[in-house]
Amino acid sequence: MTAHVPTLLPAHACLIVHGEDQPGIVAAVSAMITRIGGNIVAFDQYSDNPEGGAYFQRVVFHRPGFAADRPAIEAEIARTLDGFSLQWSLTDQSVPKRMAILSSKQDHCLLDLLWRHRRGDLPVTVPMVVSNHTTSAEDVRSFGVPFFHVPSTPGPDKSESEAKILELLVGNVDFVVLARYMQILSADFLEKLGVPVINIHHSFLPAFIGAEPYKKAKERGVKLIGATSHYVTTDLDEGPIIEQDTIRVTHADTTGELARRGADVERQVLSRAVLWHAQDRVIRHGNHTIIF
């Protein structure tokens, strides 16, 4: 069974703008899109302080012939925003992002992403799954996705296994998802990879970090369990948060029930984070995010 790419948006572009807030940004961007023959179909903005605070904007517009005329359009955007203290990026909404998945033994998040992709719910392609175990190899291949086994290097030095993973990923993917990949990525790996990495954490951060989170949660008698999806940085589990969710539990729930219900939350939280990233809805600002 072959995975397929969901329906995308031909001749649509997404412009992300962020920087110092000041009068005239909305008018300048809107007028520019009109000049280039575009039609705005979605517009979101946020300012944390109208007097010189941080400003964020996401605009999706339709423009026939966008792909062919993209260089000229980018030049016009640069001229328009030259007088503002702003950064910007432009993406073609007809081109799916290439998403690689790293996984270990637990496969609930991995298989959920592959299932959603096959259904057409995620605007991505999946060029590969890389795992330090082979337990999910046949399941992954049944989705028509290449599977690569890269065992983790024993001991604290993971440079050998990381180098093999980098050979697979660099230049072939636009972002990476850690679908319960139970290895810590080094700062050197993240720098050489050079694309965003999204992780799913098995708790509503920062509680119960480390091994056996549901056992710890049971011992503490928690009433809420949850999951957190965030971008990976060199600070372990402290990167900008994309999405979080919780569910209520009781004293009667066993450790196994907590783990099962927690896995459901992890799947939902991770899939939403991946979708929003793939749709260019997430703007990183320092150590937090703006979600449009």
Side-chain angles (χ1 to χ4, degrees):
M1 190 174 295
T2 302
H4 68 276
V5 179
T7 302
L8 296 162
L9 298 174
H12 282 65
C14 179
L15 174 63
I16 298 293
V17 174
H18 62 99
E20 182 181 342
D21 195 8
Q22 56 191 292
I25 298 175
V26 173
V29 171
S30 300
M32 177 274 299
I33 292 175
T34 299
R35 283 198 306 274
I36 65 172
N39 182 31
I40 295 174
V41 297
F43 190 106
D44 296 281
Q45 64 169 342
Y46 167 70
S47 172
D48 64 8
N49 186 339
E51 297 182 356
Y55 177 79
F56 309 89
Q57 182 186 99
R58 177 183 184 268
V59 186
V60 178
F61 62 92
H62 175 259
R63 204 288 195 169
F66 168 75
D69 297 337
R70 180 168 180 166
I73 292 172
E74 290 182 335
E76 183 63 24
I77 294 172
R79 282 193 294 270
T80 299
L81 300 180
D82 184 56
F84 298 93
S85 300
L86 298 169
Q87 300 178 45
W88 61 274
S89 62
L90 186 69
T91 55
D92 187 338
Q93 297 292 282
S94 71
V95 179
K97 288 181 172 57
R98 301 167 298 172
M99 177 185 76
I101 305 174
L102 269 60
S103 69
S104 292
K105 284 186 176 180
Q106 297 187 45
D107 62 4
H108 56 286
C109 287
L110 165 66
L111 298 181
D112 181 73
L113 289 175
L114 294 177
W115 177 76
R116 291 177 190 272
H117 171 250
R118 187 171 68 186
R119 281 175 49 87
D121 294 342
L122 298 175
V124 299
T125 60
V126 186
M128 69 187 78
V129 169
V130 182
S131 178
N132 56 339
H133 296 277
T134 59
T135 50
S136 60
E138 291 307 311
D139 286 328
V140 170
R141 290 173 181 141
S142 72
F143 284 91
V145 174
F147 178 91
F148 297 93
H149 176 224
V150 180
S152 296
T153 308
D157 183 3
K158 305 293 183 182
S159 58
E160 182 180 344
S161 56
E162 288 190 344
K164 292 178 181 178
I165 296 173
L166 287 170
E167 288 180 8
L168 295 169
L169 298 181
V170 173
N172 296 316
V173 301
D174 298 306
F175 71 106
V176 175
V177 177
L178 307 183
R180 296 306 306 273
Y181 183 64
M182 307 306 289
Q183 299 293 319
I184 297 174
L185 302 178
S186 69
D188 182 65
F189 177 91
L190 294 173
E191 180 180 358
K192 290 179 179 177
L193 178 60
V195 299
V197 180
I198 297 174
N199 189 29
I200 183 67
H201 195 279
H202 46 231
S203 68
F204 195 78
L205 288 174
F208 306 117
I209 293 174
E212 297 186 305
Y214 296 109
K215 182 176 184 294
K216 294 176 183 177
K218 175 63 177 177
E219 292 170 349
R220 286 287 301 275
V222 301
K223 301 300 182 280
L224 288 172
I225 60 173
T228 300
S229 184
H230 63 91
Y231 288 111
V232 176
T233 65
T234 53
D235 296 320
L236 181 63
D237 294 330
E238 294 186 11
I241 291 172
I242 307 171
E243 172 64 336
Q244 294 181 292
D245 206 351
T246 60
I247 56 173
R248 182 164 291 279
V249 296
T250 75
H251 63 277
D253 290 313
T254 65
T255 299
E257 288 168 339
L258 294 182
R260 177 183 58 78
R261 298 182 67 188
D264 287 341
V265 181
E266 291 169 25
R267 286 191 288 259
Q268 295 168 23
V269 168
L270 182 59
S271 66
R272 289 198 293 265
V274 167
L275 176 62
W276 296 342
H277 178 85
Q279 293 177 327
D280 300 302
R281 294 183 177 276
V282 186
I283 303 177
R284 295 173 64 165
H285 178 60
N287 202 42
H288 70 277
T289 59
I290 309 300
I291 312 289
F292 285 130

